[in-house]
Structures are given as structure tokens and as C-alpha cells.
Amino acid sequence: MRTSAFSTTSAKIFASVVLVGGAAGVAGLGTFGSFTSTTSASESVTSGQLVLGLTQHSTLGTTVSATGLVPGDTIQRAVTLTRSAGTESFGSVKLTTTAGSSNVLTTDTIKGLQLTVDQCSVGWTQVGSTNQLTCSGTTTNIIASRAVIGANLDLGAATTSLNSGASASNLRLQMVLPSAADNTFQNLSNSVTFTFDATQRTADFR
């Protein structure tokens, strides 16, 4: 009987040890570490810029006044537009002309001053001592004859040239007082300002 009682007690103690050991094992599952890995990447970003430059013909730039006009006379002036190296290409280049005062020289769209814009593949050359400009390369008409005052006149061929390797556009600004101008145009003066605006290229994926 004693032996039987001892065996029973031993069995209970063993069972208790096993249970306690099992509980400790379960609790320990929450304290183990886990494997991790981290990596990162950086991207450098810089914004571009647009730089449109303008230089004038040494003797026949737009700062040269034209005086004593009579019907049929022509005024020719030359400017060169440039795009600075390292800047973004242009989406468009447009011309806006404004008058310094209000009179028929610029307000009369038929008899008043008429504007034509041409581009030369090389620089424009003055003919002798005259106020005439000639192109020894290829001439491209950019704006056909029209009233001198206008807004956002597209200079498509100039944009193409500015975006090319040359990054320059040689322009001749020509104004003509039509033969139809009558006596109301006598003894008048005015000024025309030429403003060139460049816009960015079309946005793309970078």
C-alpha cells in the first residue's frame, strides 16, 4: 500500500513539472527577436530655367529712329534672339508689339505701319551705308505683312532655330508705311516696342 501511495505521489509531481515547463515555453514565444532588413534610395532633383537673350544689329538695331517717312518707305531693323547654353528648350517664342502713343501710324490697320518679320540663317548684313539689310544665307518668312500692333504673334521658325544647336535666331523687323497713307499721316511721330516672350517646352517624363 505504501508503495502504491508513493508511486501515485511521484506521478503527480512529475505531471506538475511538465505543466509548469510547458507554460514557461509558451510565455517565452513572445520574447524572441525577429529578422529585419532596411534599405533606402535618394533622387536628386533640380529645376530648369529659361533664358531668352536679345542683341541688336550694331548700326541698325531697334534703337535707331526712322524719321521723315513718306508713303511707300520701308524701315528695316535687325535683332538676334538667343537661348543660353544649358537652359531648357522653348515651347514657343512669341512677339508682342505696343505703341508709345495713339495715332494713325499704329491705329490704322490698313494705311498705318505694316510689319513683316523674316529670319536669316546667318546674321543680317547692312547694304553699304544704306538702311537696308540683306541675308547671305537662307531667308525664312516668319510673320507675313500685317498691322504693326499685335499680341502674342507666334515665331515658329525662330523657336525651332533657338532649340537647335545654334541656339540663335537672326530676325529682321520690317515696317512699311503703305502707299495708301494720306495727308492725315503727315507730321506724326510714334514708337513701337518689340517684346519677345519664351515659354517652357512641353512637360515630359524625367
Side-chain angles (χ1 to χ4, degrees):
M1 293 297 292
R2 289 181 179 177
T3 303
S4 177
F6 179 81
S7 299
T8 302
T9 303
S10 298
K12 288 181 179 180
I13 293 173
F14 178 76
S16 297
V17 171
V18 172
L19 289 173
V20 172
V26 172
L29 290 176
T31 63
F32 291 151
S34 60
F35 294 129
T36 63
S37 176
T38 303
T39 187
S40 64
S42 63
E43 175 67 20
S44 177
V45 178
T46 59
S47 59
Q49 63 174 337
L50 300 183
V51 180
L52 177 64
L54 183 149
T55 57
Q56 305 204 32
H57 190 277
S58 57
T59 57
L60 285 181
T62 59
T63 56
V64 179
S65 299
T67 60
L69 294 178
V70 298
D73 277 352
T74 298
I75 306 164
Q76 292 185 340
R77 299 292 183 263
V79 299
T80 298
L81 302 180
T82 57
R83 180 174 65 85
S84 296
T87 62
E88 297 301 306
S89 58
F90 299 145
S92 67
V93 177
K94 296 184 179 181
L95 169 64
T96 294
T97 52
T98 54
S101 59
S102 180
N103 60 36
V104 290
L105 282 172
T106 56
T107 59
D108 191 322
T109 60
I110 304 301
K111 298 178 183 178
L113 291 169
Q114 303 295 301
L115 172 69
T116 303
V117 179
D118 297 307
Q119 176 177 263
C120 182
S121 58
V122 295
W124 292 92
T125 304
Q126 188 173 359
V127 179
S129 59
T130 70
N131 292 336
Q132 181 180 356
L133 295 166
T134 187
C135 175
S136 60
T138 301
T139 302
T140 303
N141 177 248
I142 296 181
I143 296 178
S145 181
R146 50 152 293 136
V148 69
I149 302 303
N152 297 316
L153 306 176
D154 190 52
L155 305 177
T159 305
T160 300
S161 295
L162 289 164
N163 288 337
S164 69
S167 297
S169 173
N170 304 298
L171 302 179
R172 181 179 65 187
L173 312 173
Q174 177 174 288
M175 291 176 286
V176 175
L177 182 63
S179 299
D182 53 32
N183 287 337
T184 61
F185 287 81
Q186 291 192 72
N187 201 33
L188 297 178
S189 63
N190 211 325
S191 63
V192 178
T193 299
F194 298 84
T195 302
F196 299 89
D197 294 305
T199 60
Q200 71 168 50
R201 57 169 174 73
T202 302
D204 61 12
F205 293 93
R206 293 281 162 146

